[in-house]
Amino acid sequence: MTALRARRQDNAGYLFLLPWFGGILFTVGPFLASLYLAFTDYDLLTPPRWAGLANFRAMLDDGRLHQSLQVTFTYTLVSVPLSLAVALGVAMLLDRGVRGLAIYRSIYYLPSLLGGSVAIVMLWRYIFGYQGIVNDFLAWFGIQGPGWNSDPRFALSTLILLHVWTFGAPMVIFLAGLRQIPAMYYEAAAMDGASPWRQFRSITLPLLSPIIFFNLVQSLIASFQTFTQGYVISNGTGGPAESTLFYNLYLYQKGFAEFDMGYASSMAWLLLIIIAGFTAINFLAARYWVFYDN
Amino acid sequence: MNPVDEPSGLRRRHVLRLGALAGAAAGLSGCGRGFGGRSDDDGRTALTMAWWGDAQRAGFTQQALDAFQAANPGLRVRTEYQDSSPYKDKLAARVAAGDAPDLMAMRFDSLREYADRGTLLDLAPHTADLDLSGLTPQATALGQAGDKIFGIPSGLNTIGFVVDKTLTDEYGVPVPDGDTWSWEQFGTFAAAVTKASGGKVYGANFELWTTANLLVFARQHGDDFFSPQGDLDVRAATVVAWFQLAEDLRARGAIPPAGFIDQNNGASPAQSYLAKKSIASQIIPTNNLLGYNQACGGNLQLLRIPGETHGARRGQSIDTPALWSIAAGSRHPQETLKLLNFLTNQAEPAKLCAATRGVPPNRVIAAQIAPTLEADNRRSSDFLAKLQDETLPPSYPYPVGASKLTNILKSISTEVEFTRTTPAEAGQQFLAQARKALTT
């Protein structure tokens, strides 16, 4: 009887894992193939030829690759802390027991679903174009603003803004984390006369640190892999003047537009190493600032 | 049951079940793959056909295919289309995966990328099934590599300058003679529009980052840009002059300030700066005249590119917006040839395609359908016919690697636009990067 129930539970478990097994099947193959292709000269249309380390050597003096690394690092280092801060801030506001929380939560989550869609491109042009809303506003003060999307000095910042705007996913997780913090801590602190700032630093931050850590790792990985937003806003070019040439966008250009899939594969492995490195550093650093209640 | 035995027994069962589940997952995912079957249940042979364009072009294309299917009851054509930029990327992946469409629209600058790698059918030995006698040698050359033919123009076009007559009339600026105007006259005209409108409308959107535009300018300066052998054949002085021209035009107020035009705005006429009435003129591919004129209120004039009668030689040439190519690995080459022959040499599909794909490459058909065309298509058709009667530089497919020049030119143009580099430096940079792109 119990054995039967246990087996049923097992079955249910496997059933839930089914999509993962399906996914793995289609990931492992390409994964191994790209490892092999990274060491070949492969133009997509004719069979790959072994090239040893030639692709990796070519990376050393590929100016566009260096530019794409710079763009991706700048983007990550600015947008990840910024969007996490906004996500946490909004989550704390919502946690105050606003009426209609479910509605607010949905509204703030919505941009996360829209981030890479074509509608956003239109919206962004409408807002940040040379003749867009922002410049219309600046014109009231007699200022002629630049083309925020078309000027290489500003194009990346509008993408960072887009990223910050899609703070919904970490916010929902923060909100769940905040709900887990027992109210009695705050009550006790308030009784001892602790200011809200003090409460935030001494109660919220430490107890929320595992959640912050989780969000940080997730956001960093996602940020290094940014593709869609850069692709749709720059129409796949990484322009103006390569100022939004994300690493993955360049990888895509190399593989599918310039028929250099061998090089693109080696780039993918370099990115894997970079992300693994950052994640490892994160886990090491976590020992010093992440606090587990139990 | 002995509890000690249980784990190992369970494990084996688990493993077996895992295997079965994984198999099922693979099967399920398998169902969603691919682009559908090759042969229909009703026994008709199904051909696949892929191209880029919009809904309007899709409508015309479907009508042409309906006519083909009516005439060939044993054949069925499955067609799919996309916007040009995703189409380009998807085609590469499809061909690489061995899933090339039987008939595919091919970019002029990418033909050699595919042909030189053996993925396209050489059409030259098939002239019994695919009649090319109605095409001028110049039109056939657009899809030719050596003595092989890898693509047939889906239509013929060239580039032209469109001027919004409503705007120029409003500001009282006369439009120069489009057959003989010089670059200097163009600058004067455009600057006059900007001035007369008080800066509300700029004279022109000058797309210095479009390879086809630079190519015409280079020819006017006596260069080929691409040699017939596939090398870069343009002098530094020519490219420098191109960037210098843009800088001068901007300084005169003929074109908008840096950053006004978003290079990556997309190619749809409805979203163009011309349609928004923020500029009064720009270069367009002539097959898009109908679309632009509809989006701009119907008073566009079509002029030749400036400098045609002032340079070392003519710059404009007869080109194609897209070629039709057949996959080397097509399982139905005969049937696909039949379809291509139908599209190329029959009046009805030519008339439908002419609406957005340019003038039919078959001159007999082109002359036959000309009187039936809509006014705008009639205009672009006449514009092209006049050019076809003149002696123009030959046009041939871009060499392998040429599609990389698009991003290079865009990038360097932006550097010039924002004065982060001088025209002289930009010219050198372009030459160095373009040469590298063509050789690696």
Side-chain angles (χ1 to χ4, degrees), chain B residues 30-45:
Chain B
C31 295
R33 276 182 73 226
F35 296 89
R38 291 299 159 91
S39 192
D40 276 19
D41 294 331
D42 59 8
R44 290 191 293 175
T45 302

Side-chain angles (χ1 to χ4, degrees), chain A:
Chain A
M1 190 65 198
T2 42
L4 190 68
R5 191 178 302 155
R7 196 186 301 163
R8 257 195 212 140
Q9 281 188 347
D10 281 354
N11 282 344
Y14 288 125
L15 203 62
F16 280 114
L17 280 173
L18 195 62
W20 184 79
F21 284 116
I24 270 291
L25 269 174
F26 288 99
T27 319
V28 171
F31 199 72
L32 294 176
S34 84
L35 181 60
Y36 164 66
L37 291 176
F39 297 96
T40 64
D41 180 8
Y42 178 42
D43 66 17
L44 274 181
L45 304 178
T46 52
R49 286 181 307 259
W50 186 257
L53 290 171
N55 287 329
F56 293 94
R57 267 199 295 273
M59 285 178 175
L60 292 176
D61 60 10
D62 180 355
R64 278 168 72 81
L65 178 84
H66 304 159
Q67 170 68 13
S68 75
L69 279 170
Q70 198 190 327
V71 167
T72 308
F73 271 95
T74 312
Y75 176 79
T76 300
L77 295 180
V78 178
S79 73
V80 169
L82 215 57
S83 70
L84 287 185
V86 171
L88 180 57
V90 176
M92 287 178 67
L93 281 177
L94 291 183
D95 192 41
R96 293 246 165 138
V98 228
R99 233 187 293 164
L101 173 66
I103 295 170
Y104 283 111
R105 204 167 42 196
S106 307
I107 290 175
Y108 286 120
Y109 189 71
L110 211 58
S112 301
L113 304 173
L114 300 173
S117 67
V118 177
I120 292 305
V121 183
M122 307 303 288
L123 180 69
W124 241 236
R125 262 183 215 139
Y126 194 62
I127 297 175
F128 295 109
Y130 195 90
Q131 296 168 302
I133 293 172
V134 171
N135 283 357
D136 282 350
F137 176 73
L138 289 176
W140 289 353
F141 305 97
I143 302 166
Q144 172 58 62
W148 300 95
N149 290 323
S150 53
D151 189 322
R153 287 170 300 174
F154 301 106
L156 188 60
S157 38
T158 70
L159 286 176
I160 290 175
L161 207 65
L162 178 60
H163 182 99
V164 174
W165 183 57
T166 57
F167 61 84
M171 180 203 72
V172 168
I173 298 170
F174 277 138
L175 205 50
L178 289 170
R179 287 289 156 103
Q180 296 293 313
I181 301 176
M184 60 180 182
Y185 292 162
Y186 293 106
E187 286 159 12
M191 236 180 273
D192 289 340
S195 67
W197 171 242
R198 182 72 210 212
Q199 289 180 22
F200 172 73
R201 272 191 46 204
S202 303
I203 301 172
T204 312
L205 271 188
L207 289 178
L208 204 60
S209 60
I211 308 285
I212 298 175
F213 175 61
F214 171 80
N215 271 336
L216 182 66
V217 172
Q218 288 285 321
S219 303
L220 270 181
I221 294 176
S223 175
F224 275 117
Q225 295 178 328
T226 298
F227 172 77
T228 318
Q229 297 166 356
Y231 182 84
V232 293
I233 299 269
S234 77
N235 203 8
T237 62
E242 298 170 6
S243 62
T244 65
L245 186 66
F246 288 103
Y247 191 88
N248 264 357
L249 183 53
Y250 182 48
L251 185 158
Y252 177 80
Q253 286 183 358
K254 272 284 171 192
F256 292 100
E258 301 187 4
F259 299 93
D260 203 347
M261 193 52 89
Y263 191 79
S265 299
S266 61
M267 281 182 66
W269 281 86
L270 178 64
L271 183 63
L272 181 81
I273 293 165
I274 292 173
I275 291 178
F278 266 82
T279 310
I281 292 170
N282 244 317
F283 270 91
L284 287 176
R287 290 182 192 169
Y288 302 100
W289 67 271
V290 177
F291 170 74
Y292 290 98
D293 203 9
N294 49 5

Side-chain angles (χ1 to χ4, degrees), chain B residues 140-401:
Chain B
T140 309
L142 294 171
Q144 220 163 354
D147 51 5
K148 295 181 172 167
I149 300 173
F150 291 107
I152 305 297
S154 62
L156 300 177
N157 76 344
T158 183
I159 52 174
F161 234 105
V162 282
V163 175
D164 191 334
K165 194 80 172 23
T166 308
L167 287 176
T168 54
D169 283 352
E170 185 182 336
Y171 299 118
V173 180
V175 180
D177 174 39
D179 286 350
T180 58
W181 65 338
S182 65
W183 286 103
E184 176 55 34
Q185 277 173 302
F186 157 65
T188 310
F189 156 76
V193 173
T194 309
K195 193 158 176 244
S197 75
K200 230 180 97 200
V201 175
Y202 288 95
N205 170 16
F206 183 63
E207 295 191 356
L208 75 159
W209 57 85
T210 303
T211 316
N213 300 351
L214 172 55
L215 207 150
V216 168
F217 185 81
R219 289 207 197 102
Q220 290 178 350
H221 282 68
D223 302 338
D224 271 338
F225 200 80
F226 297 122
S227 75
Q229 291 73 37
D231 304 312
L232 194 68
D233 184 16
V234 60
R235 286 164 301 146
T238 306
V239 187
V240 172
W242 177 248
F243 290 129
Q244 189 63 52
L245 173 66
E247 203 169 85
D248 294 346
L249 288 169
R250 185 163 287 118
R252 295 170 73 177
I255 61 176
F260 184 95
I261 302 283
D262 187 345
Q263 276 181 358
N264 304 313
N265 194 42
S268 126
Q271 289 170 40
S272 66
Y273 295 92
L274 203 58
K276 287 185 208 153
K277 304 273 175 194
S278 44
I279 54 148
S281 67
Q282 79 169 70
I283 296 176
I284 64 162
T286 50
N287 56 304
N288 292 344
L289 178 65
L290 174 69
Y292 274 97
N293 207 21
Q294 281 174 353
C296 298
N299 200 9
L300 292 186
Q301 276 209 329
L302 183 58
L303 280 62
R304 291 183 180 184
I305 302 299
E308 280 293 289
T309 51
H310 303 79
R313 59 168 175 155
R314 297 295 300 272
Q316 293 212 255
S317 56
I318 306 297
D319 301 299
T320 178
L323 298 147
W324 289 122
S325 293
I326 298 180
S330 168
R331 285 198 237 165
H332 308 292
Q334 285 309 316
E335 291 82 353
T336 313
L337 282 163
K338 198 171 196 176
L339 172 60
L340 182 51
N341 191 49
F342 176 81
L343 293 174
T344 312
N345 295 316
Q346 296 284 321
E348 194 181 347
K351 202 171 133 187
L352 289 162
C353 292
T356 69
R357 286 202 163 93
V359 176
N362 184 325
R363 279 210 90 167
V364 183
I365 300 284
Q368 192 184 324
I369 66 164
T372 67
L373 293 175
E374 255 179 280
D376 286 331
N377 283 325
R378 183 79 206 264
R379 263 202 300 157
S380 51
S381 172
D382 289 349
F383 182 84
L384 200 91
K386 262 178 83 183
L387 279 172
Q388 272 184 300
D389 290 333
E390 299 169 13
T391 310
L392 299 177
S395 187
Y396 36 81
Y398 293 4
V400 174

